[in-house]
Amino acid sequence: MSIKPIEFENGVCRMIDQRLLPAQEVWLDYRDYRSVAEAIQTMVVRGAPAIGVAAAFGAAFAAAEIEAEDFAMFESQFEECCAVLAATRPTAVNLFWALDRMKSVAKANQKLSLPDLRQVLLDEALTIAEDDDQINRTMGAHGQVLFPKKANILTHCNAGALATGGYGTALGVIRAAVEAGKQVEVFADETRPFWQGARLTAWELMQDNIPVTVICDNMAGYLMQQGRVDAVIVGADRITANGDVANKIGTYTVAVLAKEHGIPFYVAAPMSTIDLSLTDGSQIPIEERDPREVTHCGDTQLAPDGVKVYNPAFDVTPSHLVTAIITERGVVQGDYLNGLKALAQ
């Protein structure tokens, strides 16, 4: 299947509303950068690589709206529009990577006429979207060799096609293993409070006829204790120079449990998720989201009125808990500081 959650046709960017899956498959149309920013912030689109793709289209829409007499005027307005997009999700570094790439392309083509510059920026956004699918397939090929011929794999959150331009990061590795003829079964953590595992990962894998079982987040340790988990694989929203990994809240807990039970803990992420400007995970900004995500499930209230809520969207898994980091340029194990730096060159 490998659904593409973001499509572009005839000047319209279409996104599947991931808030409504799996009950409803609704596609929404976007034509301006402000609405794209809202889609990112409200999690119509989510997952670091997919956020980067959406932001690129948002920047292209911004360029289409700008009227300027020279490049200096254009660049000033373009920077302001990109800042609106950048403010939506502070943890996912792919967002900033995509916007920086769009700004660099604009500067490199500053001598073009405004209509031609707009077209170049739209072409770049399309390239970012197209490249992401191939990056994930290459990553999958690198990562699947780490799995045995028969494996029960636990994953957390959704790092599949829905979180990317297509195919997936962590689920891309799982898909590649299946395509290689391996017998794979998946345990999907439900991933509270936004339920990405139960709603999205399970839906994706069922579409592909890959065996999947949803478990409560607090069941992972019990399954490991029973010997029913052979490996863990997750995605990432940002990886620092030393290999610390920011991912959906609850990932750190799974990593600690995997370490205790001697289970390999793998992270799959494109090079655009690696932020060598940060030395370690303590420097990663952690987004805090609406308390209602915790106190309610849809429209159903779960907690008493007025209760205090702490709702960080991500946690940081230190590199010593990570068995390997899988990228489209290869796999790094152990010496992440030098290994990631070498891949980035």
Side-chain angles (χ1 to χ4, degrees), residues 290-344:
D290 188 345
R292 186 180 172 87
E293 293 178 359
V294 175
T295 60
H296 290 68
C297 183
D299 293 329
T300 301
Q301 184 171 329
L302 304 176
D305 289 331
V307 69
K308 293 181 180 180
V309 173
Y310 180 44
N311 187 23
F314 306 94
D315 57 27
V316 176
T317 298
S319 58
H320 72 268
L321 298 177
V322 178
T323 306
I325 295 174
I326 305 160
T327 78
E328 72 273 24
R329 296 186 184 176
V331 178
V332 179
Q333 293 178 281
D335 185 0
Y336 296 114
L337 191 62
N338 289 312
L340 293 174
K341 184 178 180 181
L343 287 185

Side-chain angles (χ1 to χ4, degrees), residues 5-6 15-19 30 36-47 49-55 89 162-164:
I6 304 171
M15 302 186 203
I16 190 168
D17 190 341
Q18 298 191 34
R19 301 169 301 182
Y30 296 90
V36 170
E38 183 180 8
I40 296 171
Q41 201 281 323
T42 60
M43 295 178 74
V44 168
V45 61
R46 29 95 16 228
I51 288 171
V53 171
R89 300 294 304 275
L162 289 168
T164 66

Side-chain angles (χ1 to χ4, degrees), residues 62-94:
E65 297 178 26
I66 294 172
E67 296 293 342
E69 297 177 0
D70 54 34
F71 181 75
M73 184 181 296
F74 172 88
E75 184 176 39
S76 176
Q77 294 181 55
F78 192 57
E79 288 275 359
E80 291 178 5
C81 297
C82 286
V84 171
L85 291 160
T88 53
R89 300 294 304 275
T91 304
V93 73
N94 303 65

Side-chain angles (χ1 to χ4, degrees), residues 81-300:
C81 297
C82 286
V84 171
L85 291 160
T88 53
R89 300 294 304 275
T91 304
V93 73
N94 303 65
L95 168 65
F96 307 99
W97 168 85
L99 293 173
D100 286 345
R101 180 165 160 176
M102 296 293 283
K103 288 186 282 188
S104 295
V105 167
K107 187 175 286 291
N109 292 277
Q110 60 184 283
K111 293 184 179 179
L112 294 179
S113 66
L114 186 54
D116 287 346
L117 180 57
R118 289 168 173 161
Q119 186 60 52
V120 165
L121 287 168
L122 176 57
D123 290 344
E124 187 67 16
L126 290 166
T127 297
I128 289 173
E130 292 166 4
D131 286 352
D132 189 74
D133 182 82
Q134 186 55 53
I135 284 170
N136 293 334
R137 292 178 186 275
T138 303
M139 190 189 316
H142 287 312
Q144 68 87 15
V145 300
L146 299 172
F147 294 154
K149 291 183 179 180
K150 183 177 181 180
N152 293 334
I153 302 167
L154 186 141
T155 189
H156 188 75
C157 195
N158 172 262
L162 289 168
T164 66
Y167 200 69
T169 55
L171 293 195
V173 175
I174 290 172
R175 283 191 171 96
V178 173
E179 290 163 7
K182 295 182 177 179
Q183 186 177 339
V184 172
E185 296 196 19
V186 179
F187 288 108
D189 282 350
E190 63 192 349
T191 321
R192 297 179 182 179
F194 212 68
W195 312 92
Q196 294 96 323
R199 295 189 302 106
L200 307 180
T201 293
W203 182 77
E204 274 198 43
L205 294 176
M206 290 182 71
Q207 295 290 315
D208 277 359
N209 294 314
I210 297 173
V212 57
T213 300
V214 173
I215 62 170
C216 295
D217 290 353
N218 57 5
M219 291 181 186
Y222 180 59
L223 261 65
M224 293 178 186
Q225 188 183 57
Q226 290 182 316
R228 297 177 64 185
V229 177
D230 299 303
V232 177
I233 188 164
V234 299
D237 287 79
R238 192 182 302 226
I239 300 173
T240 58
N242 73 332
D244 289 351
V245 176
N247 193 50
K248 185 55 57 183
I249 191 73
T251 302
Y252 170 63
T253 306
V254 174
V256 171
L257 288 166
K259 186 76 168 182
E260 172 65 21
H261 292 88
I263 297 168
F265 181 91
Y266 301 122
V267 177
M271 293 300 297
S272 56
T273 300
I274 297 169
D275 186 356
L276 297 180
S277 72
L278 302 185
T279 58
D280 61 64
S282 67
Q283 299 171 316
I284 298 175
I286 300 298
E287 173 188 2
E288 290 190 37
R289 295 190 57 81
D290 188 345
R292 186 180 172 87
E293 293 178 359
V294 175
T295 60
H296 290 68
C297 183
D299 293 329
T300 301

